[in-house]
Amino acid sequence: MLSTRTALRRAGTVAALAAAGVLTAAGVAFAHVTVHPDSYAKGATDGVLTFRVPNEEDTADTTKVQVFLPTDHPVLGVLVTPRDGWTAKVTTTRLKTPVKTDDGTITDVVSQITWSGGRIRSGEYQDFDVAFGQLPDDTDQLGFKTLQTYSDGKVVRWIEETQKGADEPENPAPVLKLTAGTAGDGSAPVTASPSEPKATAKASSSDSTARGLGIAGLAAGVLGLVAAGVAIARGRSARSS
């Protein structure tokens, strides 16, 4: 009987640790402000970027989100999709160097979008959609620095740049990768073909890592429960003999 109880306690401990691992992995994967999709073809046209903003606070709501668009590699033809409960304010900036396009010369671009008036409560997230006319073709990535304001006055600054080969910073800015894809007219997100599994894994490394940790934790919990079942069966067999 003692060995059976010990096995059950051990199994319970393993299962609890496994559950904690799953929750921790989920937190790592979804805690940051991110942009979706995470890659587009260089010079892509007529697409949509979605900024996903989760609420990290237990006692405060997110009440304002400010996304800053780069002007050194400007995004052209930006339009904001209406979001129920939120008011969007668009700020434009005059370019130092105008951009020539087939439709004419662009001198002013959107440099900041501020959403306010709504609330993102604890355990929730909100998607903010932005349509664009054309992405730049002279850079490999775009960083969108973001400020997230909470109802208690706290401001989280998602502005840190991720350096190649270095660990991810505590408050990384959302980053859109621009690739030399062949997506027809460039309007579709770039996705890796079956012959490019490494590109797909790299683009979603943080989510894949989190899912891997969660699966490993669940597997450990299952093995603990199986061990407990074996111990119980042996105890019953010993008593019956």
Side-chain angles (χ1 to χ4, degrees):
M1 181 62 72
L2 181 60
S3 61
T4 300
R5 290 177 178 175
T6 301
L8 287 173
R9 284 198 299 270
R10 290 178 179 174
T13 300
V14 172
L17 291 174
V22 172
L23 293 176
T24 301
V28 170
F30 300 108
H32 304 332
V33 175
T34 51
V35 61
H36 303 270
D38 60 5
S39 67
Y40 257 108
K42 291 182 178 181
T45 58
D46 300 327
V48 175
L49 298 175
T50 299
F51 294 92
R52 177 159 296 174
V53 183
N55 189 350
E56 293 184 308
E57 297 294 317
D58 295 329
T59 59
D61 300 338
T62 296
T63 56
K64 184 168 68 173
V65 176
Q66 298 164 269
V67 175
F68 297 85
L69 284 69
T71 55
D72 53 346
H73 302 286
V75 180
L76 307 181
V78 170
L79 296 173
V80 180
T81 302
R83 178 64 60 191
D84 291 344
W86 294 84
T87 299
K89 178 183 178 182
V90 176
T91 301
T92 60
T93 296
R94 183 169 292 274
L95 294 173
K96 293 181 179 180
T97 303
V99 178
K100 294 182 179 181
T101 70
D102 294 339
D103 298 323
T105 300
I106 305 298
T107 59
D108 298 86
V109 295
V110 173
S111 57
Q112 179 182 340
I113 305 173
T114 300
W115 287 274
S116 60
R119 285 185 177 270
I120 308 173
R121 293 176 172 79
S122 177
E124 298 179 351
Y125 71 89
Q126 181 69 67
D127 284 343
F128 298 96
D129 295 334
V130 176
F132 63 82
Q134 184 174 340
L135 295 176
D137 59 5
D138 57 351
T139 184
D140 294 329
Q141 66 178 35
L142 296 176
F144 299 92
K145 296 182 179 180
T146 303
L147 302 184
Q148 182 178 9
T149 301
Y150 286 91
S151 56
D152 60 1
K154 179 180 179 180
V155 178
V156 180
R157 302 169 63 83
W158 303 100
I159 62 173
E160 297 176 333
E161 297 182 359
T162 302
Q163 302 297 330
K164 186 176 181 180
D167 293 336
E168 185 179 65
E170 183 177 356
N171 295 315
V175 173
L176 177 71
K177 297 180 180 66
L178 298 179
T179 64
T182 55
D185 62 356
S187 62
V190 176
T191 56
S193 66
S195 61
E196 300 172 329
K198 292 183 179 179
T200 302
K202 184 177 180 181
S204 58
S205 59
S206 60
D207 287 349
S208 297
T209 301
R211 286 194 294 269
L213 289 173
I215 292 171
L218 289 175
V222 170
L223 289 174
L225 293 176
V226 170
V230 172
I232 292 172
R234 288 178 176 175
R236 290 177 178 173
S237 178
R239 287 196 304 271
S240 64
S241 61

